[in-house]
Amino acid sequence: MKRYGNLFEQVRGFEPLRRAALEAAKGKKLKPRVARFLLDLEPEVIALEKELIAHTYRPRPYRTFAVSDPKQRMICAADFRDRVVHHAVCEVLEPIFERSLIGDSYACRKGKGSHAAIHRAQEFMQRFPYYLKLDVRKFFDSVDHGVLKRQLRCKIKDRDFLWLLDVFIDHAVPWAAPGKGIPIGNLTSQHFANFYLHPLDHLIKDDLGVKGYIRYMDDMVLFGDTKPELWQAFSRIAAFLLEVLLLYVKAGSVTTAPVSEGLSFLGFRIYPGVIRLQRSGWRRFRRKVIGQEERFQAGMIFEEKLLRSVTSLLGHVRHANSRNLLASFFAAHQRIDI
């Protein structure tokens, strides 16, 4: 197994940090903390560079808050200067992790994403008569620091770079158990979490020989010819999660059914011949569109912002067979001209 070195040099220098700052600031330049950092970009970047070289860099405390769309989650928002380092680190990590991931892992990868995962799931539903769906209980809060660090050391031999990765891993999530958890909201966490489950992917594809399998973060779907073969694979998966990755399958998340009954996945209800938006997703779409239109009417946003926002929402919904649904909705909201 190849291990990568000379990585820290690609992160701690002035130019990679400057590029990372500009990347992290995209779409956020009007926020006060971001604007202040960009105003003093050179001294801010030089200060980060010195701290990284001296190994005195420490992340600042998280700003924590709850979101409930589409489900209740606690978010840890890193300070902007820490997000700069996250971007610099992930620029180096991403191609290394990419080489370990299977083709049908779709989260946090260029050219992949939730919409590609949905259409890939439908392809499998046209080839196999049954599916089994599962996910991990409190996945982000349960990632084991020791397991993650060992995985990283199997891929990376640069001690300085590993020190920096350990700094991020050890930056405790306030509500997680000691030695557990990575924060939802960090760019590094998304890549760590996706990488954490890659040994399971290879167990399923290489050892169990499952031809129909798809994963989006910790949401997994297996496709097969019979229910017994899927349940047999599940027993191996549950044991591997517990014994190797120190994770548990989420109670009540395991579903097996004929593909003709449809699969609920990533906000859509997927059938072999049609993809529908789930009711919760449709309600969320309507609420967001109407909310943006009301902000526009109140003078809180410009028309350009309204159109950009609604077009983005439409791009998501149109991955389902939703033409008639959209036509009736916009007929009732004629002030929105899309």
Side-chain angles (χ1 to χ4, degrees), residues 103-143:
D104 282 316
S105 171
Y106 283 84
C108 306
R109 299 176 71 187
K110 293 174 181 176
K112 301 286 185 177
S114 61
H115 298 140
I118 291 158
H119 292 286
R120 181 62 164 161
Q122 188 181 47
E123 287 180 24
F124 283 132
M125 295 176 78
Q126 294 167 352
R127 292 169 49 191
F128 298 96
Y130 296 97
Y131 72 83
L132 184 144
K133 179 174 178 282
L134 71 149
D135 60 51
V136 175
R137 179 169 70 93
K138 296 183 177 179
F139 176 47
F140 275 79
D141 288 349
S142 302
V143 167

Short mmCIF file of all heavy atoms in Angstrom, two decimals, residues 103-143:
data_model
loop_
_atom_site.label_atom_id
_atom_site.label_comp_id
_atom_site.label_asym_id
_atom_site.label_seq_id
_atom_site.Cartn_x
_atom_site.Cartn_y
_atom_site.Cartn_z
N GLY A 103 -16.12 3.45 -6.93
CA GLY A 103 -16.84 4.32 -7.86
C GLY A 103 -18.22 4.70 -7.39
O GLY A 103 -18.71 5.79 -7.70
N ASP A 104 -18.87 3.82 -6.62
CA ASP A 104 -20.25 4.07 -6.20
C ASP A 104 -20.36 4.65 -4.80
O ASP A 104 -21.35 4.44 -4.10
CB ASP A 104 -21.09 2.80 -6.33
CG ASP A 104 -21.50 2.55 -7.78
OD1 ASP A 104 -21.91 3.52 -8.44
OD2 ASP A 104 -21.40 1.40 -8.25
N SER A 105 -19.34 5.40 -4.37
CA SER A 105 -19.42 6.25 -3.19
C SER A 105 -19.58 7.69 -3.70
O SER A 105 -18.75 8.16 -4.47
CB SER A 105 -18.14 6.12 -2.35
OG SER A 105 -18.12 7.08 -1.32
N TYR A 106 -20.65 8.38 -3.27
CA TYR A 106 -21.04 9.59 -3.98
C TYR A 106 -20.94 10.89 -3.18
O TYR A 106 -21.13 11.96 -3.75
CB TYR A 106 -22.49 9.44 -4.50
CG TYR A 106 -22.55 8.57 -5.72
CD1 TYR A 106 -22.61 7.18 -5.60
CD2 TYR A 106 -22.51 9.11 -6.99
CE1 TYR A 106 -22.64 6.36 -6.71
CE2 TYR A 106 -22.55 8.30 -8.13
CZ TYR A 106 -22.61 6.93 -7.97
OH TYR A 106 -22.63 6.13 -9.08
N ALA A 107 -20.63 10.84 -1.90
CA ALA A 107 -20.59 12.07 -1.09
C ALA A 107 -19.23 12.74 -1.20
O ALA A 107 -18.19 12.07 -1.25
CB ALA A 107 -20.91 11.76 0.36
N CYS A 108 -19.22 14.08 -1.25
CA CYS A 108 -17.99 14.88 -1.16
C CYS A 108 -16.96 14.51 -2.22
O CYS A 108 -15.76 14.43 -1.94
CB CYS A 108 -17.35 14.72 0.23
SG CYS A 108 -18.44 15.07 1.59
N ARG A 109 -17.44 14.29 -3.45
CA ARG A 109 -16.51 13.94 -4.52
C ARG A 109 -16.88 14.70 -5.78
O ARG A 109 -18.07 14.85 -6.10
CB ARG A 109 -16.55 12.43 -4.81
CG ARG A 109 -16.15 11.58 -3.63
CD ARG A 109 -16.29 10.11 -3.95
NE ARG A 109 -15.28 9.64 -4.91
CZ ARG A 109 -15.30 8.42 -5.43
NH1 ARG A 109 -16.26 7.56 -5.12
NH2 ARG A 109 -14.35 8.05 -6.27
N LYS A 110 -15.86 15.17 -6.48
CA LYS A 110 -16.09 15.89 -7.72
C LYS A 110 -16.71 14.95 -8.75
O LYS A 110 -16.26 13.81 -8.92
CB LYS A 110 -14.79 16.46 -8.25
CG LYS A 110 -14.20 17.55 -7.36
CD LYS A 110 -12.84 18.01 -7.84
CE LYS A 110 -12.26 19.08 -6.91
NZ LYS A 110 -10.88 19.47 -7.31
N GLY A 111 -17.74 15.45 -9.44
CA GLY A 111 -18.40 14.64 -10.45
C GLY A 111 -19.36 13.62 -9.90
O GLY A 111 -19.90 12.80 -10.66
N LYS A 112 -19.59 13.63 -8.60
CA LYS A 112 -20.53 12.68 -7.98
C LYS A 112 -21.72 13.47 -7.42
O LYS A 112 -22.35 14.21 -8.14
CB LYS A 112 -19.82 11.88 -6.90
CG LYS A 112 -18.63 11.07 -7.40
CD LYS A 112 -19.03 9.86 -8.20
CE LYS A 112 -17.85 9.00 -8.59
NZ LYS A 112 -18.26 7.78 -9.32
N GLY A 113 -22.02 13.31 -6.13
CA GLY A 113 -23.09 14.08 -5.50
C GLY A 113 -24.39 13.31 -5.40
O GLY A 113 -24.55 12.21 -5.93
N SER A 114 -25.36 13.92 -4.71
CA SER A 114 -26.62 13.23 -4.40
C SER A 114 -27.43 12.91 -5.65
O SER A 114 -28.06 11.85 -5.74
CB SER A 114 -27.45 14.07 -3.43
OG SER A 114 -27.78 15.32 -3.98
N HIS A 115 -27.44 13.81 -6.63
CA HIS A 115 -28.25 13.56 -7.82
C HIS A 115 -27.69 12.40 -8.64
O HIS A 115 -28.45 11.58 -9.16
CB HIS A 115 -28.35 14.83 -8.66
CG HIS A 115 -29.00 15.96 -7.94
ND1 HIS A 115 -28.58 17.27 -8.04
CD2 HIS A 115 -30.06 15.98 -7.09
CE1 HIS A 115 -29.34 18.04 -7.29
NE2 HIS A 115 -30.23 17.28 -6.69
N ALA A 116 -26.38 12.32 -8.75
CA ALA A 116 -25.78 11.17 -9.44
C ALA A 116 -26.09 9.88 -8.68
O ALA A 116 -26.34 8.83 -9.30
CB ALA A 116 -24.27 11.36 -9.56
N ALA A 117 -26.10 9.95 -7.35
CA ALA A 117 -26.41 8.77 -6.54
C ALA A 117 -27.84 8.31 -6.77
O ALA A 117 -28.12 7.10 -6.85
CB ALA A 117 -26.19 9.09 -5.05
N ILE A 118 -28.76 9.25 -6.88
CA ILE A 118 -30.17 8.91 -7.11
C ILE A 118 -30.35 8.19 -8.44
O ILE A 118 -31.02 7.15 -8.52
CB ILE A 118 -31.03 10.19 -7.07
CG1 ILE A 118 -31.07 10.75 -5.65
CG2 ILE A 118 -32.44 9.94 -7.60
CD1 ILE A 118 -31.43 12.22 -5.60
N HIS A 119 -29.72 8.70 -9.48
CA HIS A 119 -29.88 8.08 -10.79
C HIS A 119 -29.15 6.74 -10.87
O HIS A 119 -29.60 5.81 -11.56
CB HIS A 119 -29.40 9.04 -11.88
CG HIS A 119 -30.29 10.23 -12.03
ND1 HIS A 119 -31.53 10.17 -12.62
CD2 HIS A 119 -30.14 11.53 -11.64
CE1 HIS A 119 -32.10 11.36 -12.60
NE2 HIS A 119 -31.27 12.21 -12.01
N ARG A 120 -28.04 6.62 -10.14
CA ARG A 120 -27.34 5.33 -10.09
C ARG A 120 -28.21 4.30 -9.36
O ARG A 120 -28.26 3.13 -9.77
CB ARG A 120 -26.00 5.50 -9.39
CG ARG A 120 -25.17 4.23 -9.30
CD ARG A 120 -24.81 3.67 -10.66
NE ARG A 120 -23.73 2.70 -10.54
CZ ARG A 120 -23.44 1.80 -11.46
NH1 ARG A 120 -24.15 1.75 -12.59
NH2 ARG A 120 -22.43 0.96 -11.29
N ALA A 121 -28.87 4.71 -8.29
CA ALA A 121 -29.77 3.81 -7.58
C ALA A 121 -30.87 3.30 -8.51
O ALA A 121 -31.22 2.11 -8.49
CB ALA A 121 -30.38 4.52 -6.37
N GLN A 122 -31.42 4.19 -9.33
CA GLN A 122 -32.46 3.76 -10.26
C GLN A 122 -31.91 2.75 -11.28
O GLN A 122 -32.60 1.79 -11.65
CB GLN A 122 -33.07 4.96 -10.98
CG GLN A 122 -34.30 4.58 -11.81
CD GLN A 122 -34.89 5.76 -12.54
OE1 GLN A 122 -34.18 6.54 -13.17
NE2 GLN A 122 -36.22 5.90 -12.45
N GLU A 123 -30.67 2.94 -11.72
CA GLU A 123 -30.06 1.98 -12.63
C GLU A 123 -30.02 0.59 -12.00
O GLU A 123 -30.35 -0.42 -12.65
CB GLU A 123 -28.64 2.41 -12.99
CG GLU A 123 -28.53 3.59 -13.94
CD GLU A 123 -27.09 3.94 -14.23
OE1 GLU A 123 -26.21 3.04 -14.10
OE2 GLU A 123 -26.82 5.10 -14.58
N PHE A 124 -29.60 0.52 -10.73
CA PHE A 124 -29.54 -0.77 -10.05
C PHE A 124 -30.95 -1.35 -9.87
O PHE A 124 -31.12 -2.58 -9.92
CB PHE A 124 -28.86 -0.62 -8.69
CG PHE A 124 -27.36 -0.50 -8.76
CD1 PHE A 124 -26.69 0.48 -8.05
CD2 PHE A 124 -26.61 -1.40 -9.52
CE1 PHE A 124 -25.30 0.59 -8.11
CE2 PHE A 124 -25.23 -1.31 -9.58
CZ PHE A 124 -24.57 -0.32 -8.87
N MET A 125 -31.94 -0.50 -9.65
CA MET A 125 -33.30 -0.98 -9.47
C MET A 125 -33.86 -1.57 -10.76
O MET A 125 -34.82 -2.36 -10.73
CB MET A 125 -34.20 0.15 -8.97
CG MET A 125 -33.82 0.63 -7.58
SD MET A 125 -34.78 2.04 -7.00
CE MET A 125 -36.30 1.24 -6.51
N GLN A 126 -33.30 -1.21 -11.88
CA GLN A 126 -33.71 -1.79 -13.16
C GLN A 126 -33.00 -3.11 -13.45
O GLN A 126 -33.39 -3.85 -14.36
CB GLN A 126 -33.43 -0.79 -14.29
CG GLN A 126 -34.29 0.47 -14.20
CD GLN A 126 -33.80 1.59 -15.10
OE1 GLN A 126 -32.72 1.51 -15.70
NE2 GLN A 126 -34.58 2.67 -15.20
N ARG A 127 -31.98 -3.43 -12.63
CA ARG A 127 -31.21 -4.66 -12.83
C ARG A 127 -31.48 -5.73 -11.78
O ARG A 127 -31.29 -6.92 -12.03
CB ARG A 127 -29.71 -4.34 -12.83
CG ARG A 127 -29.25 -3.52 -14.02
CD ARG A 127 -27.81 -3.01 -13.82
NE ARG A 127 -26.89 -4.05 -13.40
CZ ARG A 127 -25.65 -3.82 -12.96
NH1 ARG A 127 -25.20 -2.58 -12.87
NH2 ARG A 127 -24.87 -4.82 -12.63
N PHE A 128 -31.90 -5.29 -10.57
CA PHE A 128 -32.09 -6.23 -9.47
C PHE A 128 -33.51 -6.12 -8.91
O PHE A 128 -34.08 -5.03 -8.88
CB PHE A 128 -31.08 -5.95 -8.35
CG PHE A 128 -29.65 -6.12 -8.76
CD1 PHE A 128 -28.89 -5.02 -9.16
CD2 PHE A 128 -29.05 -7.38 -8.76
CE1 PHE A 128 -27.56 -5.16 -9.54
CE2 PHE A 128 -27.73 -7.52 -9.15
CZ PHE A 128 -26.98 -6.43 -9.54
N PRO A 129 -34.08 -7.23 -8.43
CA PRO A 129 -35.47 -7.19 -7.94
C PRO A 129 -35.64 -6.74 -6.49
O PRO A 129 -36.75 -6.38 -6.08
CB PRO A 129 -35.94 -8.63 -8.11
CG PRO A 129 -34.69 -9.46 -8.03
CD PRO A 129 -33.59 -8.61 -8.60
N TYR A 130 -34.56 -6.76 -5.68
CA TYR A 130 -34.68 -6.42 -4.26
C TYR A 130 -33.58 -5.44 -3.85
O TYR A 130 -32.51 -5.37 -4.46
CB TYR A 130 -34.57 -7.68 -3.39
CG TYR A 130 -35.68 -8.66 -3.61
CD1 TYR A 130 -35.50 -9.75 -4.46
CD2 TYR A 130 -36.92 -8.51 -2.98
CE1 TYR A 130 -36.52 -10.67 -4.67
CE2 TYR A 130 -37.95 -9.42 -3.19
CZ TYR A 130 -37.74 -10.49 -4.04
OH TYR A 130 -38.76 -11.39 -4.25
N TYR A 131 -33.87 -4.71 -2.77
CA TYR A 131 -32.85 -3.83 -2.18
C TYR A 131 -32.87 -3.96 -0.66
O TYR A 131 -33.87 -4.39 -0.07
CB TYR A 131 -33.07 -2.37 -2.58
CG TYR A 131 -34.26 -1.69 -1.93
CD1 TYR A 131 -34.17 -1.15 -0.65
CD2 TYR A 131 -35.49 -1.59 -2.60
CE1 TYR A 131 -35.26 -0.52 -0.05
CE2 TYR A 131 -36.57 -0.98 -2.01
CZ TYR A 131 -36.46 -0.45 -0.73
OH TYR A 131 -37.53 0.16 -0.13
N LEU A 132 -31.74 -3.60 -0.05
CA LEU A 132 -31.63 -3.49 1.41
C LEU A 132 -30.97 -2.15 1.71
O LEU A 132 -29.92 -1.84 1.17
CB LEU A 132 -30.80 -4.64 1.99
CG LEU A 132 -30.71 -4.67 3.52
CD1 LEU A 132 -30.70 -6.12 4.02
CD2 LEU A 132 -29.47 -3.95 4.05
N LYS A 133 -31.61 -1.37 2.56
CA LYS A 133 -31.14 -0.02 2.89
C LYS A 133 -30.83 0.07 4.38
O LYS A 133 -31.55 -0.49 5.21
CB LYS A 133 -32.22 1.01 2.52
CG LYS A 133 -31.89 2.46 2.82
CD LYS A 133 -32.99 3.36 2.27
CE LYS A 133 -32.75 4.83 2.59
NZ LYS A 133 -33.09 5.17 3.97
N LEU A 134 -29.73 0.77 4.72
CA LEU A 134 -29.36 0.95 6.13
C LEU A 134 -28.52 2.21 6.28
O LEU A 134 -28.01 2.76 5.30
CB LEU A 134 -28.56 -0.24 6.64
CG LEU A 134 -27.13 -0.41 6.10
CD1 LEU A 134 -26.24 -1.05 7.15
CD2 LEU A 134 -27.13 -1.25 4.83
N ASP A 135 -28.40 2.68 7.52
CA ASP A 135 -27.43 3.74 7.81
C ASP A 135 -26.89 3.56 9.21
O ASP A 135 -27.30 2.66 9.95
CB ASP A 135 -28.01 5.14 7.57
CG ASP A 135 -29.22 5.45 8.43
OD1 ASP A 135 -29.15 5.26 9.66
OD2 ASP A 135 -30.24 5.89 7.89
N VAL A 136 -25.94 4.42 9.59
CA VAL A 136 -25.19 4.28 10.84
C VAL A 136 -25.81 5.18 11.91
O VAL A 136 -26.19 6.32 11.64
CB VAL A 136 -23.71 4.64 10.62
CG1 VAL A 136 -22.93 4.62 11.93
CG2 VAL A 136 -23.08 3.69 9.61
N ARG A 137 -25.87 4.66 13.12
CA ARG A 137 -26.42 5.44 14.23
C ARG A 137 -25.47 6.56 14.64
O ARG A 137 -24.30 6.30 14.93
CB ARG A 137 -26.69 4.52 15.44
CG ARG A 137 -27.25 5.23 16.66
CD ARG A 137 -27.74 4.24 17.69
NE ARG A 137 -26.64 3.53 18.31
CZ ARG A 137 -26.04 3.90 19.45
NH1 ARG A 137 -26.44 4.99 20.08
NH2 ARG A 137 -25.07 3.18 19.96
N LYS A 138 -25.95 7.81 14.62
CA LYS A 138 -25.18 8.98 15.03
C LYS A 138 -23.76 8.93 14.46
O LYS A 138 -22.78 9.00 15.19
CB LYS A 138 -25.14 9.08 16.56
CG LYS A 138 -26.50 9.31 17.18
CD LYS A 138 -26.42 9.47 18.69
CE LYS A 138 -27.78 9.76 19.30
NZ LYS A 138 -27.72 9.89 20.77
N PHE A 139 -23.69 8.85 13.15
CA PHE A 139 -22.42 8.57 12.49
C PHE A 139 -21.33 9.58 12.84
O PHE A 139 -20.25 9.22 13.33
CB PHE A 139 -22.64 8.51 10.98
CG PHE A 139 -21.38 8.32 10.18
CD1 PHE A 139 -20.44 7.37 10.54
CD2 PHE A 139 -21.12 9.11 9.06
CE1 PHE A 139 -19.28 7.19 9.80
CE2 PHE A 139 -19.97 8.94 8.32
CZ PHE A 139 -19.04 7.99 8.69
N PHE A 140 -21.56 10.87 12.58
CA PHE A 140 -20.52 11.87 12.81
C PHE A 140 -20.09 11.90 14.28
O PHE A 140 -18.91 12.06 14.58
CB PHE A 140 -20.99 13.25 12.36
CG PHE A 140 -20.78 13.51 10.89
CD1 PHE A 140 -21.65 12.99 9.95
CD2 PHE A 140 -19.71 14.25 10.43
CE1 PHE A 140 -21.47 13.21 8.59
CE2 PHE A 140 -19.50 14.49 9.09
CZ PHE A 140 -20.39 13.96 8.16
N ASP A 141 -21.05 11.75 15.19
CA ASP A 141 -20.72 11.77 16.62
C ASP A 141 -20.01 10.51 17.07
O ASP A 141 -19.44 10.48 18.17
CB ASP A 141 -22.00 11.94 17.45
CG ASP A 141 -22.58 13.34 17.35
OD1 ASP A 141 -21.89 14.23 16.81
OD2 ASP A 141 -23.72 13.54 17.80
N SER A 142 -20.05 9.45 16.27
CA SER A 142 -19.51 8.15 16.68
C SER A 142 -18.19 7.79 16.03
O SER A 142 -17.60 6.76 16.38
CB SER A 142 -20.54 7.05 16.37
OG SER A 142 -21.77 7.30 17.02
N VAL A 143 -17.72 8.58 15.08
CA VAL A 143 -16.43 8.29 14.45
C VAL A 143 -15.35 8.20 15.53
O VAL A 143 -15.19 9.12 16.33
CB VAL A 143 -16.07 9.37 13.41
CG1 VAL A 143 -14.61 9.25 12.98
CG2 VAL A 143 -16.99 9.27 12.20
#
